[in-house]
Amino acid sequence: MTPPIFTTRSNAAYGHVRVRPPGQHWFAFDVLTSDAKRGGAELFAMTVWNSGISVDIATGAYWYKVPRRKDDSSQGHRTALWNAIAVAKKYNLPQLAILKDRDSKRCSLEHIFDIVNVKYEEDASACWLRLDARGKDLSAFAQRLDLSYLSDLASQDPSPEAPSRNAAWSRDELILALDLYVRYRKSPLNKGAPEIDELSQVLNRLGVILGVSSGGTYRNANGVYMKLMNFKRLDPGYTALGRRGLTRGNGDEVRVWELFSHDSVRLSEAAQLIRHGVLTYSEESGISEGDGSGIEEAEEGKLVTRIHRHRERDPRLVREAKAQALRKHGRLFCAACSFDFSERYGAIGAGIIDVHHTTPVHTMQPGAVTKVIDLVLLCSNCHRIVHSKRQWLTLDEVKSALVT
């Protein structure tokens, strides 16, 4: 049921604060937007949804989040609103927020706030508007969040100065972040914790290895803390108490949570392997670049995939595995489909066979020495099938898939 305070249509509410009708937009100036962009406006107003108000549990401050992009029909409205906020900030205009009901689409003239500050996410994906509620109690609308990290965010839109935004969090990074979250699940870290700073440093090094960063503050401590807050929204132990974490995040967070949050051993093993790969990395390590084979990345991420591929392409082990097979069988053939290159192609096919590392990716120990017993011979087709899905297939699964 719509609360009785929401009785005013949008155009009337905007007229009440003496700005132009918003039309299809979620904002208006007291002049045409084109004139406002040239510095001709004296006032800016926008509507804020009652379902979008947040209150910082530490300070009691009210905030409203404005995403820059969202893949839905409102994308044009979001972009226009973002740009209008930038114009209002540029010319230091008084900025008003009118509370609007999500269900009835009506506004409340009893709830008109001042926008007193703007904070921008480090990747320019959203901004947060600090609302002065003019003494009004918004507890009936606001969701309680830990927004202490906002104090460290920039008050200027980073996108004009840094058009090349950080890449979305990779699977490797999410695994490391989830591992940290799970380890301190019962006693959550604050944003200044040394563990968060340490993970930030590891992620910056990882970004260089994967070729998505040149170093510096690619993933700063603030970003790491925000990612931990993203995982809270997926944690039933947190949401069961009526709380909500940060709702924004990339889609792979859900998949990583489903795969690893209930298997702490697998999560820890994968995180340890990634960390070891990062901390022992050198350009001669053989994992600085992908091999261009087009195989599907493992569920444990890019770096673990590269470690796996490096181990199964070790020239010494490949020679030893082939020699052992020749001693035992007198020929080289695929362990899955029995294909023999020399039998099919004659002398030109002699010695041709792929070598596959059979140890499950998440159980590969940091620094462990690969043995011939860990390897199996496969034809190139079957080897490609093994790596055709993110959850790599076992030898038995490939055999079962063969059509007879």
Side-chain angles (χ1 to χ4, degrees):
M1 180 178 178
T2 302
I5 59 173
F6 296 104
T7 58
T8 308
R9 294 183 182 274
S10 292
N11 282 358
Y14 278 85
H16 179 78
V17 299
R18 300 184 182 280
V19 295
R20 293 177 59 83
Q24 296 299 313
H25 291 305
W26 301 339
F27 68 90
F29 295 90
D30 58 332
V31 298
L32 293 173
T33 302
S34 56
D35 293 331
K37 291 179 179 178
R38 292 191 290 267
E42 295 183 358
L43 182 62
F44 168 80
M46 61 177 284
T47 43
V48 293
W49 296 113
N50 58 342
S51 59
I53 305 291
S54 299
V55 59
D56 187 346
I57 58 176
T59 65
Y62 293 110
W63 292 88
Y64 184 79
K65 188 176 183 180
V66 181
R68 184 175 193 136
R69 289 183 174 82
K70 192 172 182 179
D71 295 330
D72 60 20
S73 59
S74 64
Q75 174 57 57
H77 297 301
R78 293 176 187 278
T79 301
L81 175 57
W82 183 282
N83 294 338
I85 293 171
V87 170
K89 282 179 56 63
K90 178 180 179 180
Y91 294 106
N92 296 313
L93 301 180
Q95 302 168 48
L96 302 179
I98 306 168
L99 192 64
K100 189 173 184 177
D101 180 59
R102 173 68 76 175
D103 296 325
S104 67
K105 307 298 188 292
R106 298 294 181 95
C107 300
S108 170
L109 298 185
E110 298 176 23
H111 295 81
I112 298 175
F113 318 131
D114 297 300
I115 300 172
V116 296
N117 198 0
V118 182
K119 291 287 189 174
Y120 291 86
E121 299 276 12
E122 62 176 352
D123 61 356
S125 61
C127 67
W128 290 82
L129 309 181
R130 167 75 165 86
L131 305 178
D132 179 353
R134 298 181 177 181
K136 294 289 186 180
D137 181 5
L138 303 182
S139 58
F141 309 115
Q143 56 177 317
R144 294 172 56 81
L145 296 176
D146 179 0
L147 298 175
S148 55
Y149 77 95
L150 293 180
S151 62
D152 294 331
L153 295 185
S155 295
Q156 295 295 324
D157 181 359
S159 53
E161 293 74 30
S164 55
R165 300 173 195 147
N166 288 346
W169 281 59
S170 68
R171 175 62 65 89
D172 315 66
E173 295 174 308
L174 292 174
I175 288 173
L176 292 176
L178 180 59
D179 177 62
L180 183 62
Y181 178 85
V182 169
R183 282 191 283 124
Y184 292 92
R185 197 172 187 175
K186 294 182 178 179
S187 182
L189 298 168
N190 60 51
K191 67 176 180 179
E195 292 85 354
I196 289 180
D197 288 330
E198 188 273 339
L199 179 55
S200 169
Q201 296 172 24
V202 171
L203 296 180
N204 285 327
R205 294 181 65 175
L206 176 61
V208 173
I209 295 171
L210 298 181
V212 295
S213 167
S214 57
T217 56
Y218 170 68
R219 300 292 186 211
N220 62 26
N222 205 43
V224 174
Y225 180 75
M226 289 164 57
K227 190 54 61 180
L228 300 185
M229 292 293 291
N230 284 139
F231 280 124
K232 282 188 174 182
R233 83 185 196 277
L234 304 173
D235 187 350
Y238 185 80
T239 59
L241 300 176
R243 299 175 295 183
R244 296 173 62 185
L246 288 183
T247 55
R248 177 189 165 272
N250 71 43
D252 206 27
E253 286 169 11
V254 177
R255 178 61 177 162
V256 169
W257 180 270
E258 292 173 344
L259 283 172
F260 297 101
S261 66
H262 304 296
D263 190 344
S264 59
V265 173
R266 182 185 178 191
L267 174 62
S268 177
E269 289 173 340
Q272 288 179 35
L273 186 58
I274 296 170
R275 277 181 171 275
H276 184 267
V278 171
L279 299 177
T280 61
Y281 166 79
S282 71
E283 292 186 356
E284 291 75 38
S285 64
I287 62 171
S288 59
E289 295 182 359
D291 61 5
S293 62
I295 69 170
E296 187 70 21
E297 177 185 314
E299 289 187 321
E300 289 76 9
K302 290 184 176 63
L303 191 64
V304 171
T305 300
R306 292 182 185 181
I307 293 172
H308 170 92
R309 292 290 286 164
H310 175 65
R311 290 184 179 184
E312 67 182 16
R313 288 180 296 153
D314 183 313
R316 179 188 63 80
L317 285 173
V318 169
R319 288 194 299 270
E320 191 174 339
K322 288 181 177 180
Q324 190 176 94
L326 286 171
R327 288 194 298 270
K328 184 176 181 179
H329 303 290
R331 65 190 184 99
L332 304 179
F333 60 92
C334 176
C337 71
S338 301
F339 186 84
D340 183 334
F341 281 89
S342 60
E343 184 179 274
R344 178 64 174 170
Y345 296 100
I348 198 172
I352 296 178
I353 197 74
D354 281 4
V355 175
H356 170 61
H357 194 293
T358 60
T359 303
V361 172
H362 70 278
T363 64
M364 294 191 298
Q365 296 299 310
V369 177
T370 303
K371 303 175 182 178
V372 175
I373 196 173
D374 300 323
L375 305 175
V376 65
L377 303 186
L378 294 175
C379 69
S380 51
N381 283 347
C382 288
H383 199 187
R384 187 65 178 268
I385 292 297
V386 166
H387 297 296
S388 63
K389 298 183 180 300
R390 195 154 198 172
Q391 185 173 357
W392 291 347
L393 302 179
T394 65
L395 179 60
D396 287 339
E397 287 173 330
V398 174
K399 287 181 178 179
S400 299
L402 289 170
V403 178
T404 56

